[in-house]
Amino acid sequence: MIATADLRAHQIARDFPLLRQPTSRGKRLAYLDSAATSQKPQAVIDALVHYYTHDNANIHRGVYELAERATDAFEEARAKVASFINAAEPAEIVWTRNTTEAINLVSFTWGLANLGRGDAIVCSQLEHHSNLVPWQLLAAKTGAELRFIGVDGDGLHMLDDLDAKLRNVKLVALSHVSNTLGTIAPLDSIVPRAHAAGALVLVDGAQSVPHFPVDVRALDVDFFAASGHKMCGPTGIGFLYAKRRLLETMPPFLTGGDMIREVGYETSSFNEIPWKFEAGTSNVAAAIALGAAVDYLASVGMDWVADHERRLTAYALRRLAAFEPRGLVIYGPPRTVDRSGVISFNFADIHAHDLASILDTEGVCVRAGHHCTMPLMEKMGWPATARASFYLYNTEEDVDQLAFALEKAATIFRL
Amino acid sequence: MDDFYKEYILDHYRNPRNFGQLESPDATFEDLNPLCGDRIRFDLSVGPDGRVSDVRFSGKGCAISQASASMLSESLKGATLAEVARLGQDSVLENVGIGISPARMKCAMLGLKVAKSAALGTLARWPDEEGAEPQST
Ligand SMILES: Cc1ncc(COP(=O)(O)O)c(C=O)c1O
């Protein structure tokens, strides 16, 4: 019998045309790689097509009706994103290409202007390369020191020595949810202490805002970065949230058209926020389609999405546990309250790439490798892991298909 | 792709031949596939007749990369370094048979690339890209 929640997910899956497409071997597709990128609902695809069919014009500078329509739609999408994460106002949302660019924006503008020798930046040991490499380079350029909040063998943050770590800290940059282990960072305990120590807090929300309700003001974070393509939106669009007073004092990032107020041959003055940070023609169509994605998620309800993923993750953990006697190992926080819908695992001596290849022959898409967290993998001593990740359109049927494909892998490898 | 994981491939994966390192090899090279982190090293000894007299490989990675390197290691003895340097992708594909998906071709080729690099004394090109036209821009 299909539970009501699962029934709803089956209905939702029908909104995603790609999920109806069988594989070249005629298998049903079980897409379990939404942590890498999500599939797109018809409403988002339609928004892209509608924009190019009816509203396409360059924004901001046009005086004709079409350009006004494009500008309105673009700014309306910004307002939708702002309200989705409960920012105080749309001007606190800067469009970027993705999370990576949003983090780099902070590093190159606020970071270069505010960090120096004797200052510290604090990350955790489970950061995605996107929330690590920019701080490594910033530290190298400014002489600031980079420190790490440790994680234990289950991928849980260890906060015992946090106050020592926070000495002279200017920035704490953490991923809200680990894309490798699903760990939800204990922001409630870290953010107030970081602020008390005089630091700003940047949260990499690439894996949180798609999956549960996020309220940037309740979290009281200073910067929040995310990618549209992981939250039902198109590729090529993401955003940076930052508090108004920060955006106003930060120097510009990329420079050129659109981000200026007045330009002379020798000097220029810059536009107001958020446009000060949006040099050149933006990905207008993608921004508008991300607005449609946010509408779609809001209509489903983020509380439901979070509940559904928690249930499905618990179900998947139970199904995977049945393989443990044959050598399957599940990584990450043991308690489901500490984790989001991401499960990393290895199966006996099958290398994660071989496992992913075999699962693929059964229509099951999982990722294998280091998941852009090479230092974490090195620390844990895992050469690679397989990773299944869930979203609102996944059902118990997808998990059952994963279990079926794991049986096949066990047979092939004679486990 | 599932037909690829034949009995003998798994045997080479779990019991790799010529696994280890040589004390003082005449030629050695190590490289990794940055896409997946698989790593292989080849050590070659050359006899007075100019032919490979001993081979060892070491490394870690998936069944495809490790089994391909193991099978390749069995075919190198008796060849000159010039012959090893000239080996093409077929020398691996003949061993591992058909059924490797394009996404996994680099796994199969890593061992050969490293063995050729050892023979050349410098990083060789990916064997599956050799002979391809240079990309026009
Ligand atoms: C936690 C986390 N941070 C950052 C990123 C980078 O996202 P993007 O490639 O869209 O910039 C990802 C995506 O894989 C992620 O999972």
Side-chain angles (χ1 to χ4, degrees):
Chain A
M1 196 197 77
I2 297 179
T4 346
D6 211 46
L7 195 61
R8 176 122 195 253
H10 276 280
Q11 282 159 357
I12 287 170
R14 281 192 223 118
D15 295 337
F16 292 75
L18 187 141
L19 298 175
R20 293 198 290 269
Q21 178 178 255
T23 70
S24 66
R25 295 164 179 253
K27 304 283 179 184
R28 174 186 179 275
L29 193 71
Y31 185 74
L32 300 179
D33 197 20
S34 296
T37 198
S38 75
Q39 296 304 338
K40 321 303 173 198
Q42 191 64 50
V44 168
I45 300 166
D46 288 348
L48 283 171
V49 172
H50 181 91
Y51 174 75
Y52 284 124
T53 312
H54 298 288
D55 296 338
N56 177 55
N58 210 333
I59 50 170
H60 295 320
R61 290 174 296 257
V63 290
Y64 47 90
E65 181 190 321
L66 194 59
E68 266 175 37
R69 205 154 68 221
T71 306
D72 288 350
F74 181 73
E75 293 303 333
E76 196 187 326
R78 191 193 308 272
K80 287 176 183 176
V81 168
S83 96
F84 191 65
I85 60 167
N86 198 30
E89 48 172 327
E92 294 182 330
I93 303 296
V94 175
W95 295 121
T96 62
R97 282 187 302 137
N98 46 38
T99 305
T100 305
E101 187 176 276
I103 294 171
N104 274 275
L105 191 161
V106 176
S107 171
F108 277 91
T109 63
W110 180 85
L112 282 178
N114 288 284
L115 265 84
R117 203 164 292 283
D119 294 332
I121 307 165
V122 171
C123 292
S124 84
Q125 285 181 327
L126 49 65
E127 299 311 317
H128 187 282
H129 298 163
S130 290
N131 195 33
L132 172 59
V133 181
W135 309 125
Q136 291 175 341
L137 294 185
L138 180 64
K141 274 184 275 195
T142 59
E145 182 194 344
L146 185 55
R147 298 186 196 135
F148 297 92
I149 296 175
V151 297
D152 66 17
D154 291 327
L156 291 167
H157 297 72
M158 298 187 294
L159 302 183
D160 315 348
D161 56 350
L162 185 62
D163 288 324
K165 293 260 164 70
L166 291 177
R167 214 165 292 136
N168 301 326
V169 67
K170 279 275 180 70
L171 180 74
V172 175
L174 296 173
S175 51
H176 202 170
V177 170
S178 158
N179 65 305
T180 301
L181 297 173
T183 313
I184 302 174
L187 293 181
D188 288 353
S189 13
I190 300 175
V191 176
R193 287 163 72 180
H195 282 154
L200 297 186
V201 177
L202 175 143
V203 168
D204 167 355
Q207 300 293 348
S208 66
V209 74
H211 300 283
F212 53 77
V214 165
D215 179 334
V216 287
R217 277 188 288 173
L219 290 171
D220 195 23
V221 295
D222 302 286
F223 302 105
F224 187 93
S227 295
H229 69 94
K230 295 187 200 278
M231 52 191 290
C232 296
T235 51
I237 194 76
F239 63 88
L240 171 71
Y241 156 83
K243 290 176 180 164
R244 170 179 274 277
R245 65 177 167 76
L246 287 168
L247 287 177
E248 281 176 346
T249 54
M250 279 154 58
F253 179 35
L254 302 178
T255 59
D258 282 328
M259 52 76 65
I260 44 80
R261 185 205 309 276
E262 229 180 340
V263 176
Y265 278 114
E266 309 299 336
T267 57
S268 306
S269 61
F270 304 124
N271 204 337
E272 291 165 29
I273 68 162
W275 307 291
K276 178 169 94 176
F277 298 100
E278 294 174 2
T281 302
S282 295
N283 194 339
V284 180
I288 292 168
L290 177 54
V294 160
D295 283 343
Y296 180 83
L297 289 171
S299 75
V300 172
M302 288 309 293
D303 284 317
W304 184 84
V305 173
D307 281 349
H308 171 66
E309 287 184 29
R310 203 171 304 121
R311 265 191 307 268
L312 197 60
T313 304
Y315 177 69
L317 287 169
R318 281 202 305 280
R319 293 297 310 257
L320 288 176
F323 291 88
E324 281 172 344
R326 279 179 281 174
L328 190 133
V329 183
I330 299 169
Y331 306 116
R335 301 187 317 164
T336 45
V337 292
D338 297 321
R339 64 151 83 214
S340 172
V342 172
I343 305 178
S344 263
F345 58 96
N346 269 314
F347 195 3
D349 69 343
I350 312 178
H351 190 280
H353 284 108
D354 296 318
L355 189 57
S357 284
I358 294 171
L359 299 187
D360 179 47
T361 64
E362 289 300 323
V364 177
C365 310
V366 300
R367 196 143 285 257
H370 53 61
H371 317 295
C372 292
T373 53
M374 287 174 86
L376 176 69
M377 305 292 288
E378 179 76 30
K379 170 193 150 67
M380 297 292 200
W382 308 326
T385 71
R387 180 190 73 185
S389 54
F390 309 114
Y391 208 9
L392 71 171
Y393 39 67
N394 288 120
T395 61
E396 292 188 1
E397 194 177 358
D398 294 321
V399 175
D400 295 344
Q401 199 170 326
L402 168 64
F404 179 84
L406 285 170
E407 278 299 344
K408 178 172 174 179
T411 306
I412 290 173
F413 272 78
R414 300 182 186 281
L415 298 176
Chain B
M1 189 74 209
D2 42 344
D3 3 297
F4 172 82
Y5 295 98
K6 297 184 193 71
E7 194 68 53
Y8 71 92
I9 300 272
L10 297 182
D11 180 45
H12 275 274
Y13 173 52
R14 287 188 169 132
N15 310 295
R17 320 295 196 268
N18 302 309
F19 196 81
Q21 301 186 351
L22 293 175
E23 279 277 319
S24 44
D26 298 298
T28 182
F29 207 89
E30 177 169 340
D31 197 20
L32 86 170
N33 179 353
L35 292 179
C36 61
D38 283 10
R39 183 180 287 280
I40 286 180
R41 165 175 158 164
F42 258 94
D43 292 351
L44 306 175
S45 288
V46 181
D49 59 351
R51 295 181 179 277
V52 173
S53 58
D54 210 355
V55 186
R56 292 285 185 282
F57 88 97
S58 53
K60 57 174 194 206
C62 64
I64 300 180
S65 72
Q66 302 302 302
S68 301
S70 172
M71 286 185 278
L72 177 68
S73 75
E74 290 189 304
S75 64
L76 296 182
K77 260 187 221 172
T80 64
L81 288 185
E83 284 165 352
V84 173
R86 273 200 307 274
L87 287 174
Q89 58 172 348
D90 288 347
S91 60
V92 169
L93 295 181
E94 279 161 12
N95 285 336
V96 299
I98 47 157
I100 295 190
S101 68
R104 304 298 304 281
M105 187 56 84
K106 293 282 183 278
C107 306
M109 291 299 150
L110 180 61
L112 178 58
K113 183 188 183 206
V114 172
K116 285 167 61 102
S117 302
L120 282 166
T122 177
L123 185 63
R125 293 181 59 187
W126 283 103
D128 56 317
E129 290 172 4
E130 267 173 17
E133 290 297 312
Q135 298 255 313
S136 58
T137 43

